[in-house]
């Protein structure tokens, strides 16, 4: 079984939070790293099981095709230069960062790139085969390992599976290969690494101390509190030059889990020197968040008393490349007083 495989039935939940939590949780078979470059190196060492690779010509001529081995092992004949791409998954912003605007997406309103995909069609979840057919795609990128769904979708157009919860660097390199955007992908990675280093330098020059800990919390519908560890904002916070997870969060990472549901009573031992709140999507989760922030246990946290609490919208603080570019600019705005 491939690493990172997700439970399709659970993905039927309609909120972006549900997708994010599922994404984190089903990384249980893959130890969660805290550094994109480290994760990239580990992923590369597993050969055919952990990366997609080009197996034929990379000719740029329109209409040319080549063979491509995808995440779950399919050998697929794909266009050398795809023109009409459907991307069905959680990191649409990766494609946008490479200059590729899909004709069809799994829409998630409230992202930092909503305006860039305004004309893209929502193909739904599960993907509507009928809708996909109307878009006349020449390539479908399917961020799921469900073979039954794949069998249906692949009748529409050449379809490759894609691990959207691999490290950011890995994803960009794979997509750069698949979309004939290798130079763009390599340039993006270099620019992103430089921008990340500069951001942390700025924060350290403005009060962030070495070794400070951070924790990220969000409320789920049903008054359920989660501490996040392996996706979205934590991937940035726990990266090189950044902050550290608390001991309890490190245990979650060591167990290969991307998140854990906790009780409010556990907050004092899990909360870090700095605390981040991800604003949820649904009204009931928003109300639960308000109640949490009004509670005595929350108000007595050291980070709260010291004014070191920062809020981001859940959907904006995502793992994709475009959202990461946004976070590199927004994090200093939040943290530097």
């Amino acid at each position: 079984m491939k690493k990172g495989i997700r439970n399709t039935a659970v993905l039927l939940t309609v909120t972006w939070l549900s997708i994010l939590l599922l994404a984190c949780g089903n990384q249980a078979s893959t130890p969660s790293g805290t550094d994109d470059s480290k994760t990239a190196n580990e992923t590369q060492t597993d050969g055919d099981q952990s990366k997609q690779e080009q197996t034929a010509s990379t000719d740029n001529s329109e209409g040319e095709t080549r063979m491509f081995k995808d995440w779950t092992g399919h050998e697929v004949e794909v266009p050398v230069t795809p023109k009409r791409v459907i991307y069905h998954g959680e990191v649409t912003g990766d494609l946008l960062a490479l200059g590729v605007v899909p004709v069809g997406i799994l829409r998630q309103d409230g992202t930092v790139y909503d305006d860039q995909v305004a004309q893209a069609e929502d193909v739904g979840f599960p993907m509507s085969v009928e809708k996909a057919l109307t878009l006349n795609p020449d390539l479908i990128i399917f961020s799921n390992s469900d073979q039954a769904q794949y069998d249906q979708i692949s009748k529409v157009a050449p379809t490759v599976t894609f691990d959207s919860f691999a490290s950011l660097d890995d994803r960009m390199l794979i997509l750069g290969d698949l979309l004939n955007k290798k130079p763009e992908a390599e340039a993006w990675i270099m620019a992103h690494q430089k921008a990340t280093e500069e951001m942390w330098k700025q924060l350290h020059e403005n009060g962030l101390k070495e070794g400070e800990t951070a924790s990220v919390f969000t409320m789920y519908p049903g008054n359920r509190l989660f501490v996040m560890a392996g996706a979205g904002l934590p991937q940035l916070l726990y990266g090189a030059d950044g902050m550290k997870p608390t001991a309890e969060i490190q245990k979650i990472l060591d167990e290969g889990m991307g998140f854990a549901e906790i009780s409010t009573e556990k907050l004092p031992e899990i909360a870090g020197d700095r605390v981040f709140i991800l604003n949820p999507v649904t009204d009931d989760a928003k109300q639960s968040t308000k109640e949490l922030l009004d509670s005595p246990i929350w108000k007595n946290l050291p980070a709260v008393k010291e004014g070191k609490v920062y809020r981001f919208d859940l959907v904006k603080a995502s793992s994709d490349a475009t959202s990461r570019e946004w976070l590199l600019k927004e994090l200093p705005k939040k943290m530097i007083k």
Side-chain angles (χ1 to χ4, degrees):
M1 190 68 71
K2 295 288 181 182
K3 296 178 180 178
I5 290 176
R6 295 179 288 287
N7 184 324
T8 304
V10 182
L11 270 172
L12 289 171
T13 48
V14 296
T15 67
W16 173 236
L17 174 57
S18 299
I19 295 175
L20 176 61
L21 292 180
L22 181 65
C24 298
N26 281 289
Q27 293 188 48
S29 62
T30 307
S32 299
T34 59
D35 184 334
D36 277 332
S37 61
K38 176 181 176 183
T39 306
N41 290 336
E42 291 172 346
T43 304
Q44 294 294 329
T45 61
D46 203 21
D48 287 343
Q49 291 188 5
S50 62
K51 76 169 185 177
Q52 297 154 314
E53 59 188 284
Q54 175 181 329
T55 58
S57 170
T58 57
D59 187 282
N60 289 323
S61 301
E62 187 172 348
E64 292 291 326
T65 61
R66 64 186 178 98
M67 299 305 296
F68 190 89
K69 188 173 183 179
D70 73 9
W71 170 42
T72 51
H74 304 103
E75 294 277 358
V76 185
E77 185 176 359
V78 301
V80 169
T81 306
K83 298 295 185 183
R84 297 184 60 82
V85 179
I86 291 178
Y87 173 70
H88 193 265
E90 303 82 2
V91 291
T92 304
D94 287 1
L95 283 75
L96 299 175
L98 295 176
V100 175
V101 180
V103 296
I105 59 172
L106 171 60
R107 187 169 297 283
Q108 298 132 9
D109 291 331
T111 68
V112 301
Y113 50 80
D114 277 1
D115 58 336
Q116 297 183 57
V117 294
Q119 302 304 313
E121 295 286 345
D122 182 6
V123 294
F125 187 92
M127 184 192 293
S128 167
V129 172
E130 293 78 12
K131 185 68 173 181
L133 279 167
T134 68
L135 298 177
N136 192 29
D138 57 5
L139 177 67
I140 298 174
I141 304 174
F142 181 50
S143 291
N144 204 311
S145 59
D146 188 305
Q147 187 62 39
Q149 286 192 61
Y150 178 89
D151 290 342
Q152 292 299 313
I153 295 167
S154 60
K155 295 175 183 177
V156 176
T159 301
V160 298
T161 58
F162 175 69
D163 184 4
S164 57
F165 302 109
S167 74
L168 178 55
D169 285 359
D170 273 357
R171 297 198 315 266
M172 295 301 281
L173 290 172
I174 291 166
L175 289 171
D177 179 18
L178 179 60
L179 299 170
N180 201 14
K181 296 281 186 177
K182 282 185 177 181
E184 291 88 341
E186 292 167 358
W188 188 92
I189 291 170
M190 290 182 63
H192 172 257
Q193 290 174 344
K194 181 179 179 181
T196 303
E197 291 169 1
E198 291 175 348
M199 183 204 71
W200 286 120
K201 180 180 179 182
Q202 179 186 10
L203 288 173
H204 284 297
E205 290 173 347
N206 286 274
L208 180 64
K209 299 179 178 62
E210 293 291 338
E212 282 197 57
T213 58
S215 51
V216 182
F217 300 102
T218 194
M219 295 297 298
Y220 186 81
N223 197 31
R224 300 167 66 190
L225 175 62
F226 285 84
V227 57
M228 310 304 294
L233 182 58
Q235 289 183 341
L236 173 60
L237 298 181
Y238 303 150
D241 302 322
M243 291 175 276
K244 307 298 181 185
T246 62
E248 289 298 314
I249 296 174
Q250 186 60 57
K251 290 178 183 178
I252 299 171
L253 291 168
D254 290 343
E255 292 172 4
M257 298 172 61
F259 72 95
E261 184 174 4
I262 63 170
S263 65
T264 54
E265 289 74 20
K266 294 276 289 182
L267 276 171
E269 60 186 282
I270 296 177
D273 299 316
R274 297 178 187 261
V275 171
F276 295 80
I277 295 292
L278 300 180
N279 302 320
V281 176
T282 63
D283 289 340
D284 60 335
K286 290 177 181 177
Q287 179 60 33
S288 296
T289 301
K290 182 179 183 301
E291 293 171 1
L292 173 68
L293 302 187
D294 287 338
S295 68
I297 195 167
W298 178 266
K299 291 181 177 179
N300 283 320
L301 294 176
V304 176
K305 291 181 176 180
E306 295 174 15
K308 295 179 178 178
V309 176
Y310 318 96
R311 298 184 69 167
F312 286 94
D313 288 346
L314 173 72
V315 180
K316 287 184 169 63
S318 296
S319 302
D320 66 90
T322 303
S323 297
R324 178 65 66 85
E325 292 173 343
W326 180 83
L327 281 170
L328 291 180
K329 298 174 181 177
E330 292 298 313
L331 196 59
K333 293 179 184 179
K334 298 277 189 181
M335 294 181 63
I336 297 175
K337 303 299 183 179

Short mmCIF file of all heavy atoms in Angstrom, two decimals, residues 29 42 91 107 117 224:
data_model
loop_
_atom_site.label_atom_id
_atom_site.label_comp_id
_atom_site.label_asym_id
_atom_site.label_seq_id
_atom_site.Cartn_x
_atom_site.Cartn_y
_atom_site.Cartn_z
N SER A 29 1.23 6.59 8.27
CA SER A 29 2.23 5.60 7.86
C SER A 29 3.53 6.25 7.43
O SER A 29 4.48 5.56 7.11
CB SER A 29 1.67 4.77 6.70
OG SER A 29 1.40 5.60 5.59
N GLU A 42 14.19 12.45 2.22
CA GLU A 42 13.72 11.15 2.66
C GLU A 42 12.79 10.54 1.61
O GLU A 42 12.83 9.34 1.36
CB GLU A 42 12.97 11.31 3.98
CG GLU A 42 13.89 11.68 5.14
CD GLU A 42 13.12 12.03 6.40
OE1 GLU A 42 11.90 12.23 6.29
OE2 GLU A 42 13.74 12.10 7.46
N VAL A 91 -4.05 21.04 -3.19
CA VAL A 91 -2.95 22.00 -3.36
C VAL A 91 -2.98 22.64 -4.75
O VAL A 91 -1.97 22.70 -5.45
CB VAL A 91 -1.58 21.34 -3.07
CG1 VAL A 91 -1.45 21.01 -1.60
CG2 VAL A 91 -1.36 20.08 -3.91
N ARG A 107 -13.09 22.87 -5.76
CA ARG A 107 -13.11 24.25 -5.28
C ARG A 107 -13.15 24.31 -3.76
O ARG A 107 -13.87 23.57 -3.10
CB ARG A 107 -14.30 25.01 -5.86
CG ARG A 107 -14.28 26.51 -5.53
CD ARG A 107 -15.31 27.27 -6.33
NE ARG A 107 -15.05 27.22 -7.77
CZ ARG A 107 -14.13 27.94 -8.39
NH1 ARG A 107 -13.34 28.76 -7.70
NH2 ARG A 107 -13.97 27.83 -9.70
N VAL A 117 -8.53 31.45 -9.75
CA VAL A 117 -9.26 30.28 -10.25
C VAL A 117 -10.75 30.58 -10.43
O VAL A 117 -11.57 29.67 -10.46
CB VAL A 117 -9.07 29.06 -9.32
CG1 VAL A 117 -7.63 28.60 -9.34
CG2 VAL A 117 -9.52 29.38 -7.89
N ARG A 224 -15.22 20.08 18.90
CA ARG A 224 -14.04 19.24 19.02
C ARG A 224 -12.78 20.08 18.78
O ARG A 224 -12.68 20.78 17.77
CB ARG A 224 -14.11 18.08 18.02
CG ARG A 224 -15.32 17.20 18.21
CD ARG A 224 -15.52 16.27 17.03
NE ARG A 224 -14.43 15.30 16.91
CZ ARG A 224 -14.27 14.49 15.86
NH1 ARG A 224 -15.09 14.59 14.82
NH2 ARG A 224 -13.27 13.65 15.83
#
